[in-house]
Amino acid sequence: MLLKIENLGMVDRANIEINGITIIAGDNNTGKSTIGKALFAIFNALCNSEEKIKDLRKQELNKNIKRICMDYFDKEDLPINLFEMTRRLPRNLSNLLTEHKNIDIENNIQSIINHYQIEITEESLKDLQIKIKNSVDKIMNVSETDLQKEFLQRYFLEVFNEQINSLSNVNSIMDIVLTIKDRDIKIKFSNDRCIKLEVPYKILHEAFYIDDPFIINSLNTKSLSIPFYRGRYFSVEQRHLIDSIEKYDRLKNENVFASLFAEKSLEEIYAILNDVVEGNILFQDNNISLQSKKFNKPININNLSTGLKAFVILKILLERNILKEKDVLILDEPEIHLHPKWQMQYAQIIVLLQKFFDLSIIVTTHSADFLAAIEYYAKKHKNIDKCKFYLAKNEDNFNTFVDVTNETEEIYKQMFIPKFHLDELNYELEENEDE
């Protein structure tokens, strides 16, 4: 998979290969997170777009047909048969139209009206049929491409807080090409509006973005009574992760076999996770807790350390079979709350997840130790050929990304500059003390 970006937010130009684990390092404010957010927006806006469009049409048809019926039979107290008809007619028509498209609208309207014995003149019936048909034609004639563009535009606007086009070049065109299996998804934005979209194939996989272990607290309903969590703003990336975990409860019977297969094939990953997160994660009464021999009763997930929460999120995604083969996983500075020992374990989990799930993983980091751990475990598990390393640079207020896969010392050199500077300061301090 190859991602080419021009003039997106803080990124002037990027050419990023994603064929396993892609690590992006560099100074703050160089657009590292933008790469992962762009991939997240593309995958989740276009994933299963046919089903999303079908549901959207169905909702719009149902809403408009119901409004026409209610306006047409404008009465304060509708008789029960008329009330039932105004519910069934929109529902039946919207279902038929989205499943079969070419149906006889007039006959269906008349059939339902006859079924409920609604008294209506031929002239009034004809007028009602025309109004409904005109509304239906308007909705059904909106092309799938236009609806896809609208989905994508709204997703990008949310992810990038309505600042999609280049922040340094006002009149530029934002241009993205995502190449998968020699086919190109092409996207262009001008003035934060999608002006071009080409999707030559179906996207069937989701992207998961993890940047904040504290979001796990929001899954506990008790947390919602605390003002901090009730009023907290969640990004679209965080909301997607929360919704994916919550959705499992509605689909858990469908995931029984998949969860069992995952557990058996991922014993090595579970061994690492269980070493850090010892015990079982319990979901009871809409609250999450950890049951462990270390505690005399299950401990509320909110009371765990931030670093432990980072591992709990991964454990939930695996145990609930939310993260699936060939999905996209974006980890924005995952080491930030982790002790060096846990950074090494987290790095090993990343390498093994990619190996066993064939995931596309993007990692941004500022830690030399974490970066070295990923390199080490990728070599140990014979997965280093699935790793790409990029250094984000800002030169003359121009943000670009340099492929340093065969020269990773370039990343370490930049990371160690502050240490060298600190050594110089300490040397100066010692000299001053000697004087």
Side-chain angles (χ1 to χ4, degrees):
M1 182 159 56
L2 185 64
L3 180 65
K4 295 180 181 179
I5 295 176
E6 288 186 12
N7 302 315
L8 171 60
M10 295 183 64
V11 173
D12 296 289
R13 187 174 294 115
N15 194 337
I16 308 290
E17 185 179 340
I18 304 157
N19 184 33
I21 303 173
T22 300
I23 300 97
I24 304 174
D27 290 337
N28 286 321
N29 217 32
T30 51
K32 297 187 303 297
S33 298
T34 301
I35 304 300
K37 288 183 177 182
L39 207 60
F40 172 86
I42 294 169
F43 269 82
N44 290 336
L46 300 179
C47 177
N48 295 318
S49 60
E50 286 185 1
E51 289 301 315
K52 292 175 184 175
I53 288 170
K54 185 187 289 186
D55 288 341
L56 184 64
R57 284 196 206 274
K58 188 181 291 186
Q59 293 170 23
E60 193 69 12
L61 286 165
N62 187 72
K63 180 180 72 177
N64 279 272
I65 296 170
K66 187 172 185 177
R67 178 183 52 76
I68 290 169
C69 289
M70 296 298 289
D71 289 345
Y72 201 85
F73 300 100
D74 186 18
K75 296 181 180 180
E76 288 187 9
D77 297 313
L78 289 177
I80 187 66
N81 63 330
L82 193 55
F83 176 75
E84 288 296 328
M85 187 279 290
T86 58
R87 292 178 60 192
R88 181 176 171 184
L89 179 61
R91 186 170 62 243
N92 280 23
L93 276 181
S94 58
N95 286 337
L96 286 169
L97 285 162
T98 49
E99 295 299 331
H100 306 291
K101 293 185 180 179
N102 296 320
I103 68 165
D104 191 329
I105 296 173
E106 290 87 349
N107 280 342
N108 273 277
I109 294 171
Q110 185 164 13
S111 174
I112 291 174
I113 284 178
N114 290 342
H115 175 79
Y116 285 99
Q117 300 178 343
I118 307 299
E119 293 183 6
I120 186 170
T121 65
E122 279 191 32
E123 184 179 353
S124 296
L125 175 60
K126 192 69 177 175
D127 184 50
L128 178 63
Q129 289 170 328
I130 290 170
K131 285 181 178 178
I132 291 177
K133 190 172 186 311
N134 287 341
S135 179
V136 166
D137 288 343
K138 187 177 179 181
I139 295 167
M140 297 303 290
N141 286 335
V142 178
S143 72
E144 289 201 3
T145 300
D146 286 340
L147 287 171
Q148 272 189 328
K149 282 171 67 176
E150 185 65 23
F151 273 132
L152 187 79
Q153 179 174 292
R154 291 186 181 188
Y155 225 97
F156 265 80
L157 286 169
E158 267 199 279
V159 169
F160 291 99
N161 300 296
E162 303 196 6
Q163 292 184 330
I164 299 168
N165 284 90
S166 174
L167 296 175
S168 56
N169 187 350
V170 179
N171 298 316
S172 64
I173 300 294
M174 188 282 281
D175 196 346
I176 290 180
V177 179
L178 177 63
T179 304
I180 304 175
K181 295 180 179 178
D182 298 323
R183 287 176 291 180
D184 296 340
I185 292 176
K186 297 180 180 179
I187 302 165
K188 289 184 186 291
F189 272 78
S190 177
N191 297 318
D192 298 327
R193 292 294 177 267
C194 185
I195 59 173
K196 179 181 179 179
L197 175 63
E198 293 180 14
V199 187
Y201 55 88
K202 296 179 183 177
I203 289 184
L204 302 175
H205 301 283
E206 283 187 278
F208 297 91
Y209 195 107
I210 303 176
D211 66 345
D212 181 5
F214 282 107
I215 66 162
I216 200 76
N217 293 12
S218 67
L219 293 169
N220 277 356
T221 54
K222 288 179 181 176
S223 301
L224 300 180
S225 63
I226 304 172
F228 172 76
Y229 288 109
R230 186 175 63 241
R232 183 181 176 186
Y233 167 78
F234 289 106
S235 68
V236 63
E237 304 96 298
Q238 292 168 341
R239 189 69 253 171
H240 170 263
L241 187 63
I242 293 167
D243 288 344
S244 297
I245 294 171
E246 290 178 335
K247 185 171 66 175
Y248 172 88
D249 286 327
R250 302 192 296 274
L251 304 172
K252 57 186 174 184
N253 290 334
E254 298 177 17
N255 288 301
V256 171
F257 284 101
S259 295
L260 283 172
F261 295 150
E263 189 169 348
K264 288 180 179 179
S265 61
L266 300 177
E267 289 179 356
E268 197 169 354
I269 294 177
Y270 277 112
I272 301 169
L273 280 170
N274 291 332
D275 181 53
V276 179
V277 188
E278 184 183 340
N280 299 314
I281 299 170
L282 304 178
F283 288 79
Q284 295 176 332
D285 301 323
N286 294 320
N287 287 294
I288 307 177
S289 57
L290 177 65
Q291 186 180 53
S292 171
K293 294 177 181 177
K294 294 179 180 180
F295 313 114
N296 57 23
K297 64 179 180 178
I299 182 170
N300 189 295
I301 213 78
N302 297 28
N303 294 327
L304 297 177
S305 71
T306 310
L308 201 54
K309 288 172 185 173
F311 284 91
V312 166
I313 290 173
L314 288 182
K315 193 169 185 180
I316 290 172
L317 290 178
L318 291 172
E319 286 184 348
R320 296 191 149 209
N321 194 43
I322 296 166
L323 190 63
K324 297 180 177 63
E325 189 176 353
K326 294 187 182 298
D327 278 345
V328 177
L329 180 61
I330 301 146
L331 303 167
D332 195 0
E333 299 177 18
E335 80 283 355
I336 199 166
H337 296 289
L338 301 178
H339 182 277
K341 178 186 174 183
W342 280 6
Q343 285 187 25
M344 292 188 67
Q345 289 172 303
Y346 202 99
Q348 187 174 11
I349 289 172
I350 290 173
V351 171
L352 292 173
L353 279 175
Q354 198 293 313
K355 183 176 180 178
F356 291 125
F357 273 86
D358 195 18
L359 299 177
S360 296
I361 302 177
I362 290 183
V363 182
T364 64
T365 183
H366 291 292
S367 168
D369 291 337
F370 186 62
L371 181 66
I374 292 176
E375 273 201 276
Y376 167 77
Y377 285 115
K379 290 174 183 175
K380 178 183 177 181
H381 295 289
K382 297 179 172 55
N383 211 29
I384 192 65
D385 61 325
K386 286 275 191 175
C387 293
K388 295 290 289 186
F389 297 84
Y390 291 88
L391 181 59
K393 287 189 174 183
N394 181 286
E395 295 177 353
D396 300 324
N397 204 31
F398 193 79
N399 289 331
T400 58
F401 296 79
V402 180
D403 185 346
V404 293
T405 302
N406 298 318
E407 302 171 290
T408 53
E409 63 271 12
E410 291 296 318
I411 298 178
Y412 292 107
K413 190 188 301 181
Q414 190 200 64
M415 287 179 171
F416 286 131
I417 287 173
K419 184 180 183 304
F420 295 147
H421 182 56
L422 187 60
D423 288 341
E424 289 175 356
L425 292 174
N426 280 323
Y427 179 73
E428 288 177 10
L429 187 62
E430 288 172 3
E431 281 202 326
N432 292 334
E433 288 175 348
D434 290 340
E435 289 178 359

